Amino acid sequence: MCTTCGCGGSGATLEGQAHVHPPARPGRRRISLEQSLLAKNDALAAGNRRAFAQRGILALNLVSSPGSGKTTLLEQTILRLRDRVPLAVIEGDQQTSADADRIRAAGAPAVQINTGKGCHLDAHMIGHAFAALAPPEGGVLMIENVGNLVCPAAFDLGEAHKVVILSVTEGEDKPLKYPDMFAAADLMVLNKVDLLPHVRFDVERCIGYARRVNPDIEVLRVSAQSGEGLDGWIHWIEARRPGPPKP
Amino acid sequence: MHELSLLEGMIQGLEEEARERGFSRVAQIRLEVGRLAGAEVEALRFAFGPATQDTLADGATLEIIEIPGVGICRTCGREVEIEARFDPCPACGEGFVDVTGGASLRILDIDVEGGP
């Protein structure tokens, strides 16, 4: 028997609907919403995606643990791309503008978002940062998310692809421990491969774990420090740039 | 702890609903939480008090309805229930399961008071 209203187990049920009780108190009314908790973020992300498309901009959302080498990878990407592709960066960190300073020093415009207590960037922040940056048409917008393999998985920013960066110093089982992030990403960049002789890290096993979570995930092996594999990364970016902006 | 920001986003949405539909207080919120939604039920309950404090949902009750994760196995093609996103197919033991349900986090309905 239902402990809320006392109705029996043999009562009629509506297919696909939880057992519904009318509000108990007079003056109360029930409003059916049936909407995602992320509806507001998703709507803003869809707006960002349209804005990127209108300007022919490829937006990538870079996610990883702290210390995976995202900022170094970005610096090296800027050095290799800046002469032929306009590149702009949105940096997300809880505190400091250290990363945005590094990006500007490498030669790309950057906006720093400090999330304070927040553990991820959201579509609202990106909309404002994009307006402030006003990157040129046809360019590439790199969004460096807060270092965190959990929360950024849930928040669509309007990007074309999530790229998860995993360094070989972190342990090969990260894809199994943080499956949501690896499921959400289209590409896994294995960074710091120059350190492989010095660490216990089975690359094939790591890729196997990532594909167990996401069979379609692409994998690139790079070292942002030594430059190994960076040509493949640059090629991956260039191959995904959209055509000329839509009128 | 993105559960707190999820709930804060929800409160913003409810404030818009209140303006559009003309209510002043939310007395109860029913959430549907998929097991594969990437949010912890306990963390949602824990964050609900701080997230609703001094808002139109201050003091509201939170009811959570959990739904299982379901998907289609790429190997045997059956629809199966899974506990976690990377679990192999429980029917054939090996296939990758493409998630088709239980990955969302939704407000089902709210009980409201007060009028324009």
Side-chain angles (χ1 to χ4, degrees), chain A residues 157-177:
Chain A
L157 305 179
E159 73 275 357
H161 305 280
K162 280 191 182 71
V163 176
V164 63
I165 294 143
L166 179 63
S167 58
V168 302
T169 52
E170 290 176 63
E172 64 216 8
D173 53 0
K174 281 283 193 300
L176 296 185
K177 289 179 171 171

Side-chain angles (χ1 to χ4, degrees), chain A residues 176-198:
Chain A
L176 296 185
K177 289 179 171 171
Y178 302 96
D180 291 333
M181 187 61 87
F182 289 83
D186 294 316
L187 171 68
M188 172 168 80
V189 175
L190 267 182
N191 193 21
K192 308 189 189 179
V193 293
D194 56 315
L195 296 179
L196 275 173
H198 310 291

Side-chain angles (χ1 to χ4, degrees), chain A residues 18-20 23 25 27-38 40 119-120 150-151 154-155 176 179-180 183 211-216, chain B residues 1-2 5-6 9-10 12 14 16-17 21-23 25 27-28 30-31 38 65 74 85-86 96 105-114:
Chain A
H19 185 84
V20 175
R25 284 192 216 166
R28 259 188 209 181
R29 58 193 194 278
R30 177 158 289 181
I31 297 175
S32 175
L33 293 175
E34 307 244 342
Q35 60 179 233
S36 167
L37 233 54
L38 286 162
K40 193 174 169 65
C119 48
H120 58 268
V150 184
C151 311
F155 290 83
L176 296 185
D180 291 333
R211 297 231 159 103
R212 203 191 290 181
V213 172
N214 178 355
D216 305 318
Chain B
M1 254 311 267
H2 66 298
S5 45
L6 284 171
M10 174 189 79
Q12 281 179 19
L14 291 182
E16 282 170 26
E17 293 285 344
R21 296 173 191 250
F23 58 85
R25 203 181 98 76
Q28 178 178 274
R30 290 201 318 142
L31 290 186
I65 294 139
R74 285 196 186 181
R85 203 176 263 282
F86 57 91
F96 180 83
L105 196 59
R106 298 192 308 149
I107 314 179
L108 293 176
D109 49 46
I110 50 177
D111 290 356
V112 301
E113 296 172 347

Side-chain angles (χ1 to χ4, degrees), chain A:
Chain A
M1 190 175 82
C2 171
T3 52
T4 305
C5 64
C7 65
S10 61
T13 57
L14 278 171
E15 189 183 359
Q17 291 251 326
H19 185 84
V20 175
H21 297 280
R25 284 192 216 166
R28 259 188 209 181
R29 58 193 194 278
R30 177 158 289 181
I31 297 175
S32 175
L33 293 175
E34 307 244 342
Q35 60 179 233
S36 167
L37 233 54
L38 286 162
K40 193 174 169 65
N41 184 75
D42 290 346
L44 291 167
N48 291 347
R49 195 164 274 123
R50 277 193 301 275
F52 300 152
Q54 276 163 8
R55 309 198 60 161
I57 287 170
L58 171 68
L60 300 177
N61 181 0
L62 274 57
V63 291
S64 80
S65 338
S68 67
K70 284 195 300 295
T71 312
T72 305
L73 180 66
L74 274 177
E75 288 172 320
Q76 293 304 316
T77 308
I78 292 161
L79 293 176
R80 282 166 171 77
L81 272 178
R82 65 180 177 192
D83 292 336
R84 53 183 199 277
V85 181
L87 214 131
V89 178
I90 297 173
E91 280 289 341
D93 282 297
Q94 287 197 312
Q95 302 275 346
T96 85
S97 62
D99 280 0
D101 297 341
R102 282 174 64 185
I103 295 302
R104 288 187 206 109
V111 166
Q112 179 79 48
I113 299 173
N114 283 136
T115 57
K117 293 195 187 89
C119 48
H120 58 268
L121 295 173
D122 64 36
H124 181 238
M125 299 171 188
I126 296 304
H128 283 289
F130 182 69
L133 260 180
E137 291 192 351
V140 175
L141 175 66
M142 298 284 208
I143 303 166
E144 184 179 337
N145 218 313
V146 178
N148 173 350
L149 276 177
V150 184
C151 311
F155 290 83
D156 184 9
L157 305 179
E159 73 275 357
H161 305 280
K162 280 191 182 71
V163 176
V164 63
I165 294 143
L166 179 63
S167 58
V168 302
T169 52
E170 290 176 63
E172 64 216 8
D173 53 0
K174 281 283 193 300
L176 296 185
K177 289 179 171 171
Y178 302 96
D180 291 333
M181 187 61 87
F182 289 83
D186 294 316
L187 171 68
M188 172 168 80
V189 175
L190 267 182
N191 193 21
K192 308 189 189 179
V193 293
D194 56 315
L195 296 179
L196 275 173
H198 310 291
V199 293
R200 276 189 172 188
F201 187 95
D202 186 330
V203 169
E204 291 308 322
R205 185 174 289 170
C206 177
I207 294 171
Y209 289 155
R211 297 231 159 103
R212 203 191 290 181
V213 172
N214 178 355
D216 305 318
I217 197 166
E218 291 182 73
V219 180
L220 291 173
R221 305 169 198 208
V222 311
S223 166
Q225 195 82 45
S226 74
E228 185 182 342
L230 284 182
D231 289 345
W233 161 240
I234 298 296
H235 177 76
W236 189 93
I237 296 170
E238 292 199 285
R240 274 149 193 85
R241 289 176 63 203
K246 287 165 198 157

Side-chain angles (χ1 to χ4, degrees), chain B residues 2-60:
Chain B
H2 66 298
E3 282 81 358
L4 181 60
S5 45
L6 284 171
L7 292 175
E8 285 170 348
M10 174 189 79
I11 296 296
Q12 281 179 19
L14 291 182
E15 280 163 356
E16 282 170 26
E17 293 285 344
R19 282 192 292 274
E20 282 168 26
R21 296 173 191 250
F23 58 85
S24 56
R25 203 181 98 76
V26 177
Q28 178 178 274
I29 298 170
R30 290 201 318 142
L31 290 186
E32 181 190 81
V33 181
R35 203 155 291 157
L36 309 177
E40 290 294 326
V41 168
E42 283 317 307
L44 284 169
R45 289 193 199 282
F46 182 74
F48 187 74
T52 52
Q53 194 177 0
D54 299 326
T55 71
L56 79 173
D58 200 340

